[in-house]
Amino acid sequence: MVRWRSGTVRAIRRRWRGAVELDVQVGDDQLRALAYPELVGEPEPGDRVLLNVGALVMGLGTGGYALVVALPDRLPPDPADDGTTRDTGHLVKARYTPLQAISLGVDEEASPHRSVMEHAESLDGMPVVTADLHSALPAILAGIKATNSTARIAYVMTDGGALPAWFSRTLDGLAGHLAGTVTTGQAFGGDLEASTVHTGLLAARHVLRADITIVAQGPGNLGTGTPWGFSGVALGEAINAIGILGGRAVGSLRVSDGDGRPRHRGVSHHSLTAYGKVALLPADLPVPDDGLEPALAAVVDAALVPLAERHRLVRVPVEGLDEALRKSPVGLSTMGRGLDADHAYFLTAAAAGRHAATLLLT
C-alpha cells in the first residue's frame, strides 16, 4: 500500500502557492520531493523527512515526486484556535487518512458565508463549463477572456485527481485571473471549501460572484483503460448538478490528434461516456467550426452523432483563439504535450470557453 522512506532535506528547489519542492537524500539516491506546509510544516535543509515513494517508484502520476508525510523531528505548531470547538470549522477532507485536514466549510455554521449559502438555491442561469482534465482549465479560461475580457470566472475543483489544490502550479499561475477556487468532495486547499459539487457551484455563484464557472478535477487522472474505470465519469454527474441547480451546462470535449492511444484519439471515450451515458440532463457541446484537420473533424463529427440525441452540438468560431492560447499566463500542457503537439485539444477547450462567454449575452 505505502512504500515508506526516511531521508534528509538537502535543498529547497522552488516554491509555489501551498507547496515546496525539495531535494531529499535517501541513502545513495537523491529524490525530488514535494511538501505541503499547511499539512506538515515548513521543511528546511537538514530536516529529516518521512516520504511516501510508492507512486514515484511505479512511475505513476504524482508529477515525479516523493511526497513528504511528516517532519518527525520538528513538528509544526498547532493552529491558533483551541481545537475543541467548531468555531473555525469542522469540515474534514481526506477523511480517515493519516493526513486528514480540518477546514472551514463555506456553508457551515461558523462560516461568514453561512447566511448566503443557506438561501442559495439556484445558479441563476450561470454558464458552467465542465472538463475532463485539469489541463483544460487555462485553455477554457483563454477562450472566455478572448470573448469577454471582463467576465468573472471561478473554478470548482473536484476530487478525481490531486486532492490538494496546492499541487497545481497552473492554479498558482492563474491566481490573478480567477475569482477563486472552490475545492469539493475530498479535495482541499481552495479559497473556499465545499462538501459537494452542488455546494461548490452555489458558492462559486453566490460567494465568489462568478459570471462563469469551470468544473474539472485537479491535476492527475485516475484511469484503468476500461470503459467505466476513469475519474472523468464524474463529469456526467456534474452536468446533472448544473442542470438541477438551474445553470447552463457547457461540456468541453476532450478531442485529440496527438494522443497515441486509440481510445483518446478523435473524441476521447472519456467524453463519450461521461456526456453520452452518465449525464441525464442536456448540455451544450461546443465544436470548433474551423481549425481541426479535415480528417480529424470528420472523425469528431461522426463520434458526436449519438450525443446529439440528448445534447446540443454548437459550432463555435475560432478566430483569435490560437492567439489567446499562445498568450496564456501559464504554459499549456496535457499528458506532456504542448499547444502545437496537441492543438486540437486546447482549441476545443478554448471553444467551450468562448461559447460559455457568449451565453452571458443571451
Side-chain angles (χ1 to χ4, degrees):
M1 291 289 288
V2 176
R3 288 181 170 86
W4 292 90
R5 298 291 186 272
S6 178
T8 302
V9 177
R10 292 303 181 203
I12 308 295
R13 295 173 61 98
R14 56 178 170 169
R15 297 175 178 270
W16 60 91
R17 183 183 180 187
V20 182
E21 186 180 286
L22 315 166
D23 285 329
V24 176
Q25 194 72 36
V26 179
D28 295 331
D29 298 323
Q30 186 161 281
L31 304 181
R32 195 170 57 138
L34 195 68
Y36 302 117
E38 287 288 327
L39 296 183
V40 302
E42 286 283 352
E44 298 176 358
D47 281 339
R48 185 167 70 94
V49 291
L50 299 181
L51 304 173
N52 180 337
V53 301
L56 175 64
V57 169
M58 296 184 69
L60 301 179
T62 63
Y65 292 115
L67 297 172
V68 175
V69 180
L71 311 178
D73 303 324
R74 194 169 57 81
L75 297 177
D78 286 344
D81 60 279
D82 66 15
T84 63
T85 72
R86 298 184 177 191
D87 291 345
T88 56
H90 74 289
L91 197 65
V92 181
K93 301 289 188 90
R95 291 183 284 279
Y96 303 106
T97 68
L99 289 178
Q100 64 181 13
I102 301 174
S103 59
L104 179 64
V106 66
D107 58 342
E108 62 175 301
E109 293 88 342
S111 170
H113 311 297
R114 170 73 173 199
S115 178
V116 170
M117 292 299 294
E118 277 189 311
H119 295 92
E121 296 182 353
S122 172
L123 298 179
D124 305 324
M126 178 180 67
V128 182
V129 186
T130 61
D132 180 27
L133 298 177
H134 190 71
S135 56
L137 173 62
I140 295 168
L141 185 70
I144 296 171
K145 288 296 188 181
T147 309
N148 185 335
S149 61
T150 63
R152 187 170 172 85
I153 305 160
Y155 169 48
V156 169
M157 179 175 140
T158 62
D159 57 10
L163 295 186
W166 308 313
F167 185 76
S168 174
R169 292 195 296 274
T170 293
L171 279 181
D172 182 56
L174 293 178
H177 303 269
L178 292 170
T181 294
V182 188
T183 35
T184 68
Q186 299 282 0
F188 56 91
D191 300 291
L192 299 173
E193 302 286 356
S195 54
T196 67
V197 171
H198 299 73
T199 53
L201 288 167
L202 290 169
R205 177 61 173 170
H206 296 285
V207 177
L208 296 178
R209 310 297 297 177
D211 300 312
I212 299 172
T213 293
I214 302 169
V215 178
Q217 64 187 341
N221 178 57
L222 179 64
T224 61
T226 59
W228 292 97
F230 62 97
S231 52
V233 164
L235 277 190
E237 301 294 358
I239 294 292
N240 296 336
I242 295 161
I244 289 167
L245 293 173
R248 305 175 75 173
V250 178
S252 178
L253 294 164
R254 182 174 171 183
V255 171
S256 176
D257 58 359
D259 199 310
R261 297 166 294 180
R263 65 184 184 275
H264 293 307
R265 294 184 70 84
V267 183
S268 168
H269 81 100
H270 286 191
S271 290
L272 297 176
T273 299
Y275 298 134
K277 298 179 180 179
V278 182
L280 301 178
L281 297 179
D284 290 351
L285 301 182
V287 183
D289 71 348
D290 194 8
L292 301 182
E293 293 294 331
L296 175 63
V299 171
V300 169
D301 288 345
L304 293 178
V305 169
L307 273 63
E309 296 177 7
R310 177 173 302 146
H311 304 295
R312 185 167 75 101
L313 304 184
V314 183
R315 298 288 173 177
V316 177
V318 299
E319 183 180 358
L321 290 185
D322 178 75
E323 180 182 4
L325 289 167
R326 295 186 187 280
K327 291 181 177 179
S328 170
V330 298
L332 301 177
S333 179
T334 183
M335 304 292 177
R337 299 184 300 274
L339 175 59
D340 291 323
D342 207 343
H343 194 266
Y345 171 81
F346 295 107
L347 183 66
T348 305
R354 165 160 286 175
H355 178 63
T358 64
L359 291 178
L360 295 177
L361 305 175
T362 61

